[in-house]
Amino acid sequence: MEIADMTREYAADIIAWRYPPPYDCYDLAGVEAAFLTDPGNGYLALVHEGRLIGFRVFGVDGQVPGGVYDGSALDTGGGLRPELTGRGLGRQAIATGLTYGTARFRPAAFRVTVAGFNLRAQRVLRGLDFTPTATFEATTDGRPFVIMTRPAGDSVV
């Protein structure tokens, strides 16, 4: 897996992805492709053998309204193509993003915000040395979320 620039084609593909409930909270329905291709919004493509398999995001778009965030960590998030979820690719996808983020941004720490029900993602993140630091309810829909952090300098793999 590798990180690539977000293209219009990749962005158009991603905004059409639909996840089954309850993962549909991760759908980017209603988002314009131009938002994902704007470098200021921090979206990057995750590709494998030339095929788009997911995306990573760095910065404020990794945050969820209602959470308390500060400058102590770089927010990151992402997603896999819906048909690839649950197949054991999450660890490598996140690790690829962390390696990229460490090299490009040199943060002291990384922070992820994950839906409270998403135990699968939380398990993967714990395996990558993230620890829960806060919980909150999103101001958009009242859904519970967990904030998890890890030092950036730790080995990813």
Side-chain angles (χ1 to χ4, degrees):
M1 284 183 206
E2 61 186 3
I3 300 291
D5 289 336
M6 183 63 69
T7 66
R8 265 178 74 92
E9 293 77 21
Y10 288 158
D13 193 0
I14 291 167
I15 62 175
W17 293 351
R18 297 297 176 264
Y19 298 92
Y23 298 96
D24 56 343
C25 68
Y26 295 119
D27 290 354
L28 294 178
V31 173
E32 296 291 329
F35 181 82
L36 300 184
T37 59
D38 181 339
N41 294 326
Y43 281 83
L44 296 157
L46 183 64
V47 297
H48 180 68
E49 298 176 353
R51 180 176 183 251
L52 176 69
I53 63 167
F55 68 91
R56 300 302 306 157
V57 62
F58 296 93
V60 297
D61 214 57
Q63 299 176 357
V64 173
V68 176
Y69 300 95
D70 61 21
S72 66
L74 174 63
D75 291 289
T76 186
L80 285 172
R81 182 178 289 283
E83 63 269 21
L84 297 178
T85 62
R87 295 187 179 184
L89 298 173
R91 180 182 174 85
Q92 186 180 359
I94 295 168
T96 298
L98 295 175
T99 298
Y100 176 90
T102 297
R104 179 162 180 200
F105 302 107
R106 306 241 183 256
F110 287 102
R111 179 174 45 224
V112 296
T113 304
V114 62
F117 73 83
N118 195 344
L119 302 179
R120 184 168 67 191
Q122 291 177 47
R123 188 170 33 258
V124 170
L125 291 163
R126 281 191 182 92
L128 288 166
D129 298 326
F130 279 86
T131 56
T133 56
T135 58
F136 68 96
E137 291 182 358
T139 56
T140 52
D141 62 6
R143 188 181 308 245
F145 281 85
V146 178
I147 296 175
M148 302 175 79
T149 60
R150 82 182 291 277
D154 289 356
S155 174
V156 176
V157 196

